[in-house]
Amino acid sequence: YKNSAGAKSTGRTQYPMVAKHGLEESSVFFQNFQMGELLDISSLQGGRVFMDTLWFYGIVPGTEKLLMPPNCGAMFKYQVSGTVDTLFIDMVSLASVIDSKSLGSYGRLDEYLEAIEKWDKDTMAQLLTDGVKMLQHKLCKNELIYVPMGWVIVEKAAPDEVLNYGVRKSFMTKHTTSKTAYGLCRTLFAAAGRNIDRMNEIYLLME
C-alpha cells in the first residue's frame, strides 16, 4: 500500500474490500458491534453502497493527519497492524465553546480544522476546561475504536513500524446527538460553498 499514489502524496491510502478477499469475514465481524440505532440510507442514490462497503486503509509510518470521517458519518476502525496515537474532538462542543467565549468567528469547516492544527498544549487544556469534549487513545493491533458522528480525529502513526493498516466501516446513526452533529457539519459545508444536496437528503431521514 505504501507504493500507491495516495500514500506517496498524503501518507495515507484506502480502497474498498472485495468479495473473497476478506470482505465476507470482515462484514460478519463488524455486525457484532452496534452503537445506537443505525440510519438506513439505502433509499438514496449510492446509499446501499455506502452502508455495505468496507474499506482497507493504510498509513505510512510517521504520518500525522487531521481528519473529518467520511461523509461526516460515524465509523468503526479495526487496527490490523501497527499503532496510531489518536485524538478525538467533538465539533458540537467545540463550536459551542468558541461561540460562547467569543474566541473567533468560524463559519466553515476548513476554518475549524485550521484552528485545531495550530493548538498547543495550553490551548487544549483551556478548551477542555471550557467544556470541549476530547478523548485520547493509542490504537494498537487488534483493537477496535468507534468514532461518533460529528467528531474529528487527529492521527499520528508510529514512525518506527513497517506496517500500519486496518479496516474501516462507515455508517450513519439515528438519534438526537447524531442529528445535531450532522446538522452542524451540513452548515459548515454549506458555508464553504460545497454542495449539500445529499446531506440534506440524509438529514431529512433523521426526522
Side-chain angles (χ1 to χ4, degrees):
Y1 70 87
K2 298 178 187 177
N3 293 322
S4 68
K8 290 180 178 179
S9 62
T10 67
R12 303 177 58 86
T13 190
Q14 65 174 11
Y15 57 82
M17 300 185 72
V18 296
K20 299 182 180 180
H21 289 274
L23 175 61
E24 294 81 4
E25 295 83 357
S26 297
S27 296
V28 172
F29 172 77
F30 281 112
Q31 287 174 6
N32 293 317
F33 306 94
Q34 184 170 323
M35 300 299 293
E37 182 182 357
L38 296 182
L39 179 68
D40 185 352
I41 63 171
S42 60
S43 61
L44 304 180
Q45 183 176 2
R48 174 52 62 187
V49 173
F50 174 82
M51 295 177 65
D52 292 344
T53 302
L54 300 182
W55 295 85
F56 168 88
Y57 65 84
I59 311 174
V60 175
T63 297
E64 184 172 345
K65 196 75 172 178
L66 171 62
L67 305 165
M68 168 64 78
N71 298 293
C72 297
M75 68 177 178
F76 285 124
K77 291 186 69 177
Y78 179 75
Q79 191 74 8
V80 177
S81 179
T83 56
V84 182
D85 286 312
T86 309
L87 175 67
F88 308 83
I89 306 163
D90 172 37
M91 288 294 294
V92 173
S93 62
L94 175 60
S96 177
V97 167
I98 287 177
D99 181 61
S100 65
K101 298 291 183 178
S102 299
L103 298 177
S105 180
Y106 302 146
R108 306 191 313 268
L109 177 63
D110 59 310
E111 292 176 325
Y112 277 95
L113 300 184
E114 289 170 5
I116 291 172
E117 289 179 335
K118 296 176 182 177
W119 288 357
D120 55 22
K121 290 183 178 180
D122 292 336
T123 301
M124 291 181 64
Q126 185 59 55
L127 289 170
L128 280 168
T129 299
D130 291 338
V132 176
K133 298 177 183 178
M134 290 186 249
L135 299 170
Q136 188 173 11
H137 179 69
K138 181 185 288 292
L139 181 61
C140 299
K141 178 180 179 180
N142 294 330
E143 285 188 347
L144 177 85
I145 59 168
Y146 167 63
V147 182
M149 294 178 67
W151 288 63
V152 296
I153 55 178
V154 182
E155 296 183 331
K156 184 175 182 179
D160 55 351
E161 296 175 335
V162 177
L163 295 175
N164 198 310
Y165 66 94
V167 180
R168 168 176 65 80
K169 170 67 177 176
S170 293
F171 53 95
M172 301 290 179
T173 51
K174 186 177 181 180
H175 44 70
T176 302
T177 55
S178 297
K179 184 177 180 181
T180 300
Y182 198 74
L184 172 62
C185 292
R186 186 179 62 154
T187 298
L188 296 177
F189 272 69
R194 300 170 77 169
N195 188 303
I196 61 167
D197 290 347
R198 181 178 175 79
M199 297 184 79
N200 288 336
E201 292 177 335
I202 293 174
Y203 190 77
L204 287 175
L205 293 177
M206 295 180 174
E207 298 291 347

